[in-house]
């Protein structure tokens, strides 16, 4: 028996091979440049958002507090998956040690769980702002916002600890090839050579709590917002209320639709190129699009950006107004 255990330990997978995006070498070089540019642009956009929110008191509001948290998360989120994607395009296949793969999985699950909760918190913030405006300063006071943000980060961390413990405790005896560009749940379960029923159950329950629970909160908030908007007497008020929610609703719709499609399939179904393309949407596209969607039509963010880029012009304009 001791000998069989030794053989099992010797045959345990020490590293995983990520196939990444399948393409010819010439296309790989082009994709590498494109994704590297997208990665740097994502970091720049979200860093700018965080800087504007922290440096301008006009943006010290609950909506921008959550947006700042989301921007910080997006920078971490894209930094977890993008490096292995870039390495895979530059030197395919990408060899990832077992411990590094587990760490990447842990960070990815933690951040995606945090993002779901943050999006639900932002939907609740919009619900209070539109449906209960008189109680907004009380219901969304700084202590409440901080508690919601901490719950989002700690909740994602807790879910990730449970799921990572289950994944890491499985035995991987070979093969060690993951048809993906990062270490995700389904490819790892597919390579396990032990019984995974308990791990699949934990994965299913955590997905229900994380994805479906936060999605129901967001949908319930927007259902109430929709009813309130339809009752508004003037078209101008309805348009203004809808414009404050449209950007968040777009991000929620894209993110949840793609994530639920990818993770609703059976756990041990072989990953396909379609799933890798869809994974790119919520790991690469949404982090770069979120700052654009949220701030493209936001006058307060535009004003803060103008103050940052042209401080003398703004101060001279203010002085001219005061003198007149």
């Amino acid at each position: 028996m001791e000998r069989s255990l030794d053989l099992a330990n010797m045959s345990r997978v020490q590293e995983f091979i990520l196939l990444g995006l399948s393409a010819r070498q010439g296309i790989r070089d082009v994709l590498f440049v494109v994704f590297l540019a997208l990665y740097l642009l994502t970091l720049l956009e979200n860093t700018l958002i965080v800087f504007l929110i922290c440096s301008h008191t006009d943006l010290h509001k609950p909506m921008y507090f959550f947006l700042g948290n989301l921007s910080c998360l997006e920078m971490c989120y894209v930094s977890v998956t993008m490096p292995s994607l870039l390495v895979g395009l530059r030197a395919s296949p990408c060899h990832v040690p077992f411990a590094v793969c587990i760490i990447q999985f842990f960070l990815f699950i933690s951040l995606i769980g945090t993002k779901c909760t943050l999006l639900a918190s932002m939907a609740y913030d919009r619900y209070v702002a539109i449906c209960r405006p008189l109680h907004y300063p009380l219901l969304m006071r700084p202590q409440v916002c901080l508690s919601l943000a901490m719950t989002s980060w700690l909740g994602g961390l807790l879910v990730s600890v449970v799921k990572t413990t289950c994944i890491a405790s499985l035995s991987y005896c070979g093969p060690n090839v993951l048809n993906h560009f990062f270490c995700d749940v389904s490819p790892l379960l597919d390579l396990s050579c032990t019984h995974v029923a308990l791990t699949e159950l934990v994965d299913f329950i955590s997905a229900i709590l994380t994805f479906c629970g936060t999605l129901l909160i967001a949908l319930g908030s927007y259902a109430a917002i929709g009813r309130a908007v339809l009752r508004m007497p003037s078209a101008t008020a309805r348009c203004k209320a809808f414009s404050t929610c449209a950007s968040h609703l777009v991000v929620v719709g894209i993110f949840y639709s793609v994530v639920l499609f990818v993770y609703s399939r059976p756990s041990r179904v072989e990953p396909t190129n379609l799933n890798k393309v869809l994974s790119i949407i919520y790991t690469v596209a949404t982090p770069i699009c979120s700052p654009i969607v949220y701030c493209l039509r936001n006058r307060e963010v535009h004003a803060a950006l103008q103050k940052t880029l042209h401080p003398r012009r703004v101060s001279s304009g203010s002085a001219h107004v005061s003198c007149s």
Side-chain angles (χ1 to χ4, degrees):
M1 183 176 179
E2 292 180 358
R3 183 179 179 182
S4 62
L5 290 175
D6 292 337
L7 291 174
N9 291 331
M10 289 177 61
S11 63
R12 181 179 175 85
V13 168
Q14 299 298 319
E15 67 174 11
F16 292 105
I17 300 175
L18 300 178
L19 294 182
L21 301 180
S22 302
R24 296 193 301 270
Q25 185 59 44
I27 300 178
R28 287 178 185 271
D29 295 336
V30 174
L31 290 177
F32 176 83
V33 175
V34 171
F35 282 115
L36 178 60
L38 291 176
Y39 178 45
L40 296 177
L41 182 59
T42 301
L43 296 180
L44 177 62
E45 286 179 345
N46 287 283
T47 300
L48 179 61
I49 294 299
V50 173
F51 171 76
L52 291 176
I53 292 173
C54 293
S55 60
H56 293 273
T57 56
D58 295 340
L59 302 181
H60 291 179
K61 301 176 181 179
M63 179 176 70
Y64 299 110
F65 172 76
F66 290 119
L67 181 58
N69 274 269
L70 184 63
S71 294
C72 291
L73 183 141
E74 298 286 27
M75 288 188 286
C76 299
Y77 186 64
V78 74
S79 297
V80 169
T81 57
M82 187 65 82
S84 60
L85 173 61
L86 293 174
V87 171
L89 290 171
R90 200 63 182 170
S92 180
C94 177
H95 294 259
V96 180
F98 180 83
V100 175
C101 185
I102 294 301
I103 292 173
Q104 184 187 46
F105 175 80
F106 170 78
L107 294 174
F108 172 74
I109 295 299
S110 176
L111 292 172
I112 198 173
T114 301
K115 184 172 183 176
C116 291
T117 314
L118 271 178
L119 291 176
S121 299
M122 295 173 75
Y124 173 73
D125 170 70
R126 293 298 84 203
Y127 158 76
V128 177
I130 294 176
C131 299
R132 307 186 66 181
L134 297 179
H135 298 89
Y136 186 80
L138 176 64
L139 295 177
M140 298 305 297
R141 59 190 182 276
Q143 296 87 344
V144 174
C145 295
L146 183 61
S147 298
L148 289 173
M150 290 183 63
T151 300
S152 300
W153 288 94
L154 294 177
L157 187 65
L158 179 61
V159 171
S160 183
V161 167
V162 175
K163 295 185 70 167
T164 305
T165 301
C166 294
I167 290 292
S169 63
L170 298 175
S171 295
Y172 302 92
C173 311
N176 63 339
V177 178
L178 294 175
N179 186 18
H180 217 308
F181 59 88
F182 70 97
C183 297
D184 202 0
V185 178
S186 296
L188 289 172
L189 286 176
D190 190 62
L191 292 185
S192 175
C193 56
T194 55
H195 194 56
V196 297
L198 179 60
T199 304
E200 288 181 339
L201 178 62
V202 172
D203 180 51
F204 176 76
I205 294 175
S206 62
I208 291 294
L209 294 176
T210 305
F211 295 132
C212 298
T214 55
L215 178 59
L216 287 176
I217 294 174
L219 292 178
S221 299
Y222 280 110
I225 290 172
R227 289 195 299 269
V229 169
L230 292 176
R231 293 186 188 131
M232 292 180 178
S234 67
T236 303
R238 289 195 297 269
C239 183
K240 184 178 179 180
F242 178 75
S243 64
T244 61
C245 303
S247 57
H248 183 257
L249 192 58
V250 169
V251 173
V252 169
I254 295 175
F255 176 77
Y256 275 103
S257 60
V258 175
V259 169
L260 289 175
F261 179 82
V262 172
Y263 290 98
S264 62
R265 59 181 171 79
S267 300
R268 296 178 73 92
V269 171
E270 185 70 20
T272 63
N273 289 331
L274 174 60
N275 289 330
K276 286 190 283 187
V277 172
L278 293 175
S279 297
I280 289 175
I281 293 177
Y282 70 85
T283 59
V284 179
T286 54
I288 194 173
C289 291
S290 292
I292 299 174
V293 171
Y294 279 116
C295 303
L296 190 61
R297 299 174 58 187
N298 193 300
R299 295 180 180 178
E300 291 179 313
V301 175
H302 287 177
L305 183 60
Q306 289 296 324
K307 290 180 182 179
T308 302
L309 297 177
H310 308 289
R312 293 183 180 179
R313 184 183 303 176
V314 174
S315 61
S316 63
S318 301
H320 177 74
V321 171
S322 62
C323 292
S324 61

